[in-house]
Amino acid sequence: MSCDSQWKVLVLFILGTFSVAVVWYLRAEPYMPGPYMIAEDDSVMCSQGDVEKKALLMIENYTRNHPAFLQMSDFFWEKNLSAYQLPYGTQGSEEILLKVLALTMRYDMPDSIQNLPCWRCVVVGNGHRLKNSSLGDVINKYDIVMRLNNAPVHKYEHDVGNKTTMRLFYPESADFDPNLQNNPDSLMVLVPFKTPDVQWLKAVLNNEKRSRKGFWKSPPLIWDVKPENVRILNPYFMEVTASKLLNVSIKSPRKHKEKPTTGLLAITFALHLCDVVHIAGFGYPETTNNKQTIHYYEQITLKSMADSDHNVSHEAQAIRRLLEARIIRNLTHF
Ligand SMILES: CC(=O)N[C@H]1[C@H]([C@H](O)[C@H](O)CO)O[C@](OP(=O)(O)OC[C@H]2O[C@@H](n3ccc(N)nc3=O)[C@H](O)[C@@H]2O)(C(=O)O)C[C@@H]1O
Ligand SMILES: CO[C@@H]1[C@H](O)[C@@H](O)[C@H](O[C@H]2[C@H](O)[C@@H](NC(C)=O)[C@H](OCc3ccccc3)O[C@@H]2CO)O[C@@H]1CO
C-alpha cells in the first residue's frame, strides 16, 4: 500500500471511531448527567408543548384537563363525585375536604406561576446522588422547582439550590420549621393519603385541637404556613401514577398495598403541567446494598423503607421508560 493510501485508511479509521463514539454517546445520553439544551444565558431552553406531545404517546388517556389542586366546586355536582377513596380519589372524604378548602380559599395556580411564558420544571428527589453534585445554581434557574417532603435546602444550597416553587408533602413528612426550608411564596401542596391527613391540615390552619390518631409518625402540631400558600393536590395524579405508570390496582388499595412514592407522583404531576421536565436526585441503591445512605441530608439506608409499601425497582423501570422516550431528562445519573 502506498504512503498516500495508508494516510487515507488512517483518516477513515479515526473518522469512523469518532462517529461510533458520538452515536454511542447520544444513545446513552438519557442516563448521563450533563448540560441539557442550555441557552446562552445558561438557562434551560424552552420547548413548548414538548412534554405534552411525547406524553400523549406514552401515557394511556393522557390529558391536561384536570385541575392541579382540589377546589370546592369539585364537590358541588353529584356527577363529579369520585369513584375512589384516598389516596386515589376523594370518595368518603368530601365533607372534611370541603371544610378545609373553605379555610384556605385558594385552589388556583398563583399568577407568578400561571403567567410564566414557559414552564421549565425540575423535580428534585431526595436521593444521595445530589450530595456534592454542585447542582444548586443549575436547579435555581428552572421556572418551577418542585421539592419533596422535609428535604432541606438550608446548608445544602450548593448542591440543591434554594428556590422552591412547590413542595409536595403529607403530615408525617411536613417540616417542623417550614419557613427555614422554603421561600415566602412557596406553595405547600398536601398530598392526601388518608382522611386524617386532611383533618390535620384543618386543625393546624384553624388552630383547633390536634390529634395524633391515625398517623404512622407524629406530624407537627404547630405548622407556621400562610393558608394562602397551601393547596391540596388533586388525587387524580396519584391515580394516574399508580394505574398508568406503575400498573398497580387502585380499586382495592388495602389488598394491593404497593403505592407510588411522592417522587414518582411529583414527576407525573409535572408531566401534566410543564413544558420541560427534568429530574435530579432520583435513584435508589441496589436492594442488596444495606450500607449506602439514601438521602443527601441524613444517614439512613434502604432498611428504613422496609414498611413503606413502595416498589423501588418497579418505579425505576417507570422512570427509565420516561428517560428513554426522552419525555424527561436527568441532571444526575440513574
Ligand atoms: C421511612 C419512610 O417512611 N420513608 C419514606 C419517606 C419519608 O416518609 C419522608 O422522607 C419523611 O420523613 O418518604 C418517601 O420518600 P423520601 O422523602 O425518602 O424521598 C422523596 C422522593 O425522592 C425519591 N428518591 C429518594 C431517595 C433516593 N435514594 N432515590 C429516590 O429516587 C423518591 O421518588 C422519593 O419519593 C416518599 O414520600 O415517597 C418514601 C420513603 O419510603
Ligand atoms: C408515600 O408514602 C408515604 C411514605 O413513603 C410511606 O413510607 C408511608 O408508609 C406508611 C404507611 O402509609 C402506613 N400505613 C397506614 C395504613 O397508615 C404504615 O403503617 C404502619 C405503622 C403504623 C403505626 C406506626 C408505625 C407504622 O407505615 C408506613 C411507614 O412505615 O406512607 C407515607 C404516606 O402516608
Side-chain angles (χ1 to χ4, degrees):
M1 209 188 292
S2 70
C3 193
D4 195 28
S5 316
Q6 275 177 342
W7 269 110
K8 277 187 191 150
V9 170
L10 186 66
V11 168
L12 280 175
F13 176 75
I14 292 170
L15 280 177
T17 314
F18 179 71
S19 318
V20 168
V22 168
V23 169
W24 178 84
Y25 175 79
L26 290 177
R27 218 183 60 82
E29 184 257 358
Y31 302 104
M32 307 272 259
Y36 295 115
M37 302 180 293
I38 301 294
E40 267 171 29
D41 65 351
D42 257 15
S43 61
V44 175
M45 288 209 325
C46 176
S47 26
Q48 229 152 15
D50 184 48
V51 160
E52 182 175 11
K53 210 167 50 202
K54 291 176 181 160
L56 260 171
L57 302 174
M58 203 170 141
I59 304 174
E60 201 194 328
N61 296 332
Y62 172 86
T63 158
R64 290 165 81 104
N65 288 341
H66 292 261
F69 309 118
L70 284 183
Q71 43 195 330
M72 286 179 84
S73 60
D74 293 337
F75 304 96
F76 288 171
W77 317 108
E78 212 158 298
K79 68 174 174 50
N80 287 348
L81 293 185
S82 174
Y84 307 109
Q85 296 176 357
L86 289 174
Y88 302 121
T90 55
Q91 192 188 81
S93 305
E94 294 90 351
E95 205 181 314
I96 181 74
L97 280 165
L98 261 172
K99 284 184 183 157
V100 81
L101 290 169
L103 262 180
T104 53
M105 295 297 292
R106 297 288 303 263
Y107 337 105
D108 56 333
M109 206 49 94
D111 287 347
S112 54
I113 303 178
Q114 194 59 51
N115 297 336
L116 286 166
C118 185
W119 292 33
R120 288 164 297 196
C121 303
V122 61
V123 183
V124 185
N126 297 357
H128 185 260
R129 284 164 199 182
L130 280 165
K131 205 174 161 81
N132 300 325
S133 68
S134 306
L135 279 172
D137 288 341
V138 174
I139 289 173
N140 280 346
K141 286 207 173 82
Y142 285 79
D143 303 295
I144 296 180
V145 181
M146 290 193 192
R147 296 191 196 273
L148 310 166
N149 298 333
N150 52 347
V153 298
H154 181 64
K155 299 202 175 140
Y156 296 90
E157 292 86 352
H158 187 65
D159 286 337
V160 304
N162 58 3
K163 172 174 175 175
T164 305
T165 318
M166 299 181 197
R167 188 182 282 272
L168 273 58
F169 75 102
Y170 37 90
E172 293 94 341
S173 77
D175 207 296
F176 283 73
D177 195 354
N179 293 314
L180 180 67
Q181 307 299 353
N182 296 290
N183 312 129
D185 59 349
S186 303
L187 276 191
M188 305 302 293
V189 183
L190 175 82
V191 180
F193 280 91
K194 49 189 180 309
T195 311
D197 293 353
V198 191
Q199 285 161 341
W200 169 85
L201 186 60
K202 180 169 170 284
V204 291
L205 292 183
N206 219 16
N207 202 13
E208 292 165 355
K209 191 172 175 340
R210 279 52 143 190
S211 164
R212 286 203 171 99
K213 232 172 102 193
F215 298 104
W216 54 270
K217 180 175 150 190
S218 285
L221 300 181
I222 295 171
W223 190 64
D224 182 20
V225 167
K226 289 183 268 179
E228 63 266 30
N229 285 354
V230 176
R231 299 289 185 278
I232 302 178
L233 188 75
N234 187 344
Y236 170 76
F237 301 104
M238 185 62 91
E239 183 204 316
V240 174
T241 314
S243 64
K244 306 280 166 52
L245 267 77
L246 293 176
N247 292 314
V248 161
S249 163
I250 54 170
K251 291 215 174 100
S252 39
R254 278 197 201 105
K255 248 200 273 161
H256 303 96
K257 276 192 150 181
E258 180 181 340
K259 62 173 189 281
T261 65
T262 313
L264 189 64
L265 168 72
I267 295 177
T268 311
F269 182 47
L271 290 177
H272 287 78
L273 219 65
C274 307
D275 293 300
V276 170
V277 178
H278 291 182
I279 62 169
F282 279 80
Y284 288 97
E286 290 293 320
T287 40
T288 48
N289 187 342
N290 49 22
K291 293 236 161 65
Q292 174 62 53
T293 58
I294 55 171
H295 287 152
Y296 66 82
Y297 51 91
E298 62 181 354
Q299 304 288 314
I300 57 168
T301 64
L302 266 183
K303 220 172 130 197
S304 68
M305 291 178 66
D307 299 322
S308 286
D309 306 331
H310 302 309
N311 183 334
V312 295
S313 359
H314 210 165
E315 294 210 358
Q317 285 168 20
I319 294 178
R320 205 157 268 140
R321 277 199 303 275
L322 294 169
L323 289 168
E324 277 168 0
R326 294 180 186 234
I327 302 180
I328 63 173
R329 288 175 179 250
N330 194 6
L331 302 181
T332 47
H333 67 279
F334 193 71

